[in-house]
Amino acid sequence: MMTCVLCRTNWAADKFFLGSYSTITASYNTKHIDWMMTPVSNSQKPKLLFAGEAYHREFMSSLHGAYETGRQQAMKIVQYEESVQEKQVNRTTAI
């Protein structure tokens, strides 16, 4: 069995996508992006986050937009984890 070291897609040849990418509609509103970029969670812990070129306000349909939204969503996870660690430190120092 061969291990895949590098995997790539071929969107242009995919019969379901044919090289598609996201684009805005006539009813586009930045509130839609804000809503979709809000983490799905219970309490404060982010459970599901969306990122990609479709979620960027300025660089929609671009690699840069996908990269930047991925970083933004990753920072939400980092911030949550840091807050959890800070609470744990505060609990142990209070004892």
Side-chain angles (χ1 to χ4, degrees), residues 4-68:
C4 181
V5 177
L6 173 68
C7 299
R8 76 175 190 102
T9 60
N10 190 353
W11 287 89
D14 188 299
K15 67 181 180 180
F16 297 110
F17 296 100
L18 299 174
S20 66
Y21 58 91
S22 63
T23 185
I24 59 174
T25 64
S27 62
Y28 169 77
N29 187 325
T30 56
K31 290 179 185 176
H32 298 146
I33 290 178
D34 295 339
W35 177 76
M36 296 212 26
M37 290 289 287
T38 303
V40 176
S41 63
N42 62 351
S43 69
Q44 298 297 317
K45 183 177 183 178
K47 294 278 189 180
L48 178 64
L49 299 116
F50 293 98
E53 94 278 352
Y55 300 100
H56 200 286
R57 288 173 165 225
E58 289 181 60
F59 302 113
M60 189 173 287
S61 302
S62 71
L63 178 62
H64 180 72
Y67 174 78
E68 200 168 283

